[in-house]
Amino acid sequence: MSMTQTATLQQRFEAALMPNYGVPPVAIAVGRGCRVWDADGRPYLDLIGGIAVSALGHGHPAIISAVSSQVAKFAHTSNLFLHEPEVALAERLQGLLGRADARVFLANSGTEANEAAIKLVLRKQDAAGSGRNIIVAADHSFHGRSLGSLAITGKESIRAPFAPFGLSVRWVPYGDAAALSDAVRPDVAAVFLEPALGEGGVVPAPEGYLRAARSITAEAGAALVLDEIQSGIGRTGAWFACQAEGVMPDVITLAKGLGGGLPIGACIGVGEYGTAFRPGDHGSTFGGNPVACAAALAVIDAIEAEDILANVAKVGAWLKDGIAAISHPLLREVRGSGLWLGAVLTAPVAADVTTAARERGFLVNPVQPDVVRLAPPLILTEAEAADFLTALPGILDAVHAAGQASTKGA
Ligand code: PLP
């Protein structure tokens, strides 16, 4: 029997790429809207969107047009020269934050946005001179894989093999305002927090936590850095999750959905943090790339023009309520907001649920052993969400039945 296209690609992948990801189960060949097709022509509803990235879905005409016309003009300048798309994007981000005194550094990924933020707060606090060189970060947080962003990532299993790092980090339990207050002493340069733990399993901050973090850091003279790489650009139904909480951080980092699939990250400093870098302090050859900036502008324009934030709030709430209404022995609860949900299971079978979903044509992600994450394109319709809701009990049944069979067999 001849091999499928997928199997052939998997074999070539394994022989040519490093083994850090394992071999993925699906080879994507084409996407349109919220649907993708694999190399063998099988269709899927994409409920993970490239991990909270494909904000406008796949093949959105605004991105196709913005990217193609920018490539046709010029694809790259380096930072020896400036160009209109980077200026326009930085202005748009200032506008979305409502802060004309915000200043933007453009990078290529979330990790790089956080790397810039780490350097920025150390520079602003003049860490060497003031002794304020501690960064406070949360258990179970995720900020990236470079040595700086990994140093402040609260997942021991991925950090330990690469320690020690050149940063001093004080850990706090996520969501505990009293513990944060204890940790933010005069030696602290900054507190890094996600508005909800994304990779940690879509765990929203308790009510009032971000506001408490804001006042604790303000009183102590430490920076509050909010990592909105996963939560930002509409994912929760607001442009930035912190806006729904009424919190303005000193620094905000973005990536993922910002480029709608093109690689871009942004580190935004507000007030004095916007101007803390001195010439020569930081840089990136590709950062602020005009093609990525054109895509990001198209994403922001389309979110506004198509009233996509309202769609996120409406379809997200509908999907969340629909999952919550399913009574199943494997389903404990659903948490999150907007189109950023975690279905929490009663057993560590998220990988099996993901496989069963895939076999029925739905792409989801086992973000934790017992949590299945949904982070679909922000244009998901109620009809598409309904397809998943209809299939979910059967998906859970299949995993439950297999679990019972293996318990009996044991
Ligand atoms: N910060 C958060 C909150 C993330 O979720 C991620 C990626 O999952 C990152 C940072 C790292 O971003 P990237 O993978 O683009 O480097």
Side-chain angles (χ1 to χ4, degrees):
M1 207 175 81
S2 67
M3 279 169 85
T4 62
Q5 291 293 324
T6 301
T8 306
L9 278 170
Q10 286 172 322
Q11 207 172 60
R12 288 170 56 197
F13 181 102
E14 194 167 15
L17 283 108
M18 287 192 184
N20 51 308
Y21 296 119
V23 180
V26 176
I28 306 273
V30 65
R32 272 293 169 273
C34 295
R35 302 206 177 262
V36 294
W37 286 260
D38 73 13
D40 294 297
R42 256 190 316 263
Y44 302 88
L45 183 63
D46 182 4
L47 294 171
I48 191 60
I51 317 187
V53 165
S54 306
L56 304 185
H58 305 277
H60 193 288
I63 294 191
I64 295 175
S65 153
V67 164
S68 352
S69 70
Q70 186 56 50
V71 171
K73 284 186 222 153
F74 59 95
H76 177 72
T77 59
S78 84
N79 298 295
L80 298 176
F81 310 101
L82 65 81
H83 54 83
E84 214 269 339
E86 68 180 340
V87 177
L89 177 59
E91 290 170 346
R92 291 290 264 134
L93 292 172
Q94 287 175 324
L96 297 180
L97 266 183
R99 292 292 295 243
D101 63 344
R103 295 287 181 275
V104 179
F105 172 80
L106 292 168
N108 308 288
S109 66
T111 296
E112 288 174 65
N114 282 335
E115 209 61 39
I118 293 168
K119 284 178 67 177
L120 182 69
V121 296
L122 293 177
R123 174 52 107 186
K124 166 69 176 64
Q125 302 283 16
D126 186 17
S130 69
R132 275 185 178 268
N133 60 358
I134 305 284
I135 295 196
V136 171
D139 297 335
H140 307 296
S141 62
F142 185 84
H143 297 292
R145 303 278 196 161
S146 62
L147 292 175
S149 59
L150 185 59
I152 59 167
T153 284
K155 190 174 178 191
E156 192 57 23
S157 61
I158 62 171
R159 210 178 52 237
F162 304 101
F165 304 96
L167 279 179
S168 307
V169 183
R170 186 170 295 145
W171 298 101
V172 289
Y174 186 77
D176 182 338
L180 186 63
S181 181
D182 278 352
V184 181
R185 300 172 210 147
D187 56 0
V188 168
V191 173
F192 276 68
L193 289 174
E194 295 162 83
L197 297 175
E199 298 307 302
V202 194
V203 183
E207 174 62 30
Y209 181 62
L210 295 182
R211 285 192 296 279
R214 177 64 289 182
S215 52
I216 291 165
T217 47
E219 266 167 43
L224 176 63
V225 182
L226 287 185
D227 177 341
E228 292 239 20
I229 285 160
Q230 197 160 148
S231 58
I233 308 297
R235 178 64 44 201
T236 64
W239 279 107
F240 308 108
C242 62
Q243 290 174 326
E245 293 288 310
V247 168
M248 178 61 67
D250 300 299
V251 181
I252 182 165
T253 53
L254 301 173
K256 289 197 178 276
L258 178 61
L262 276 285
I264 188 166
C267 168
I268 310 175
V270 177
E272 291 181 352
Y273 285 87
T275 50
F277 273 148
R278 298 167 205 169
D281 270 351
H282 200 51
S284 160
T285 299
F286 289 119
N289 170 271
V291 180
C293 290
L297 284 165
V299 167
I300 293 170
D301 287 346
I303 289 178
E304 269 179 1
E306 298 172 25
D307 205 9
I308 288 175
L309 295 184
N311 187 68
V312 172
K314 182 169 128 261
V315 179
W318 192 82
L319 180 56
K320 187 178 181 185
D321 289 349
I323 296 173
I326 294 172
S327 168
H328 193 281
L330 269 188
L331 190 59
R332 187 188 301 284
E333 60 163 328
V334 55
R335 62 192 178 206
S337 56
L339 284 171
W340 194 30
L341 301 176
V344 186
L345 307 173
T346 53
V349 291
D352 298 331
V353 171
T354 298
T355 303
R358 190 170 65 240
E359 285 165 359
R360 287 160 182 76
F362 300 94
L363 300 183
V364 299
N365 160 250
V367 66
Q368 287 287 318
D370 62 343
V371 184
V372 175
R373 171 172 51 181
L374 307 178
L378 307 182
I379 57 167
L380 189 78
T381 63
E382 238 169 57
E384 288 164 334
D387 286 348
F388 179 65
L389 281 181
T390 306
L392 186 53
I395 291 167
L396 295 171
D397 279 346
V399 175
H400 193 51
Q404 289 194 320
S406 72
T407 317
K408 276 201 194 109

